[in-house]
Amino acid sequence: MPGIRTAAQAKAWLEHQGKSVQAFAREHGVDPATTYQVLAGRKKGRRGEAHKVAVLLGMKQGIIVDEPEAENSDPQVAS
């Protein structure tokens, strides 16, 4: 990655691609509200989904680790 984008650069990047924030969020399986919050600077992207959004937008370097789903999380399911 050539450099880290600012929020303004990330917005311009989305606009250059002709994508709305909603479309970007759907494409990457993230919450649109979180995406707007990261772009507005209300969430810093330090952990969780905000981190994932910031990395996908190029606003920070990082690794996206899929959260493991809890096995047998549904008590109704019997083995």
Side-chain angles (χ1 to χ4, degrees), residues 6-73:
T6 64
Q9 290 170 331
K11 290 176 192 176
W13 175 70
L14 287 173
E15 187 175 320
H16 179 73
Q17 293 183 32
K19 287 185 187 175
S20 67
V21 173
Q22 293 280 334
F24 173 85
R26 275 193 304 271
E27 181 179 315
H28 293 284
V30 295
D31 180 43
T34 301
T35 306
Y36 280 112
Q37 291 169 346
V38 169
L39 286 168
R42 287 188 298 276
K43 288 197 175 189
K44 304 299 180 197
R46 292 190 177 125
R47 62 187 71 81
E49 189 163 20
H51 168 80
K52 181 177 180 179
V53 169
V55 171
L56 290 170
L57 287 170
M59 294 176 65
K60 71 178 282 189
Q61 291 182 342
I63 300 170
I64 299 172
V65 179
D66 289 329
E67 294 180 13
E69 294 184 24
E71 291 184 29
N72 299 326
S73 61

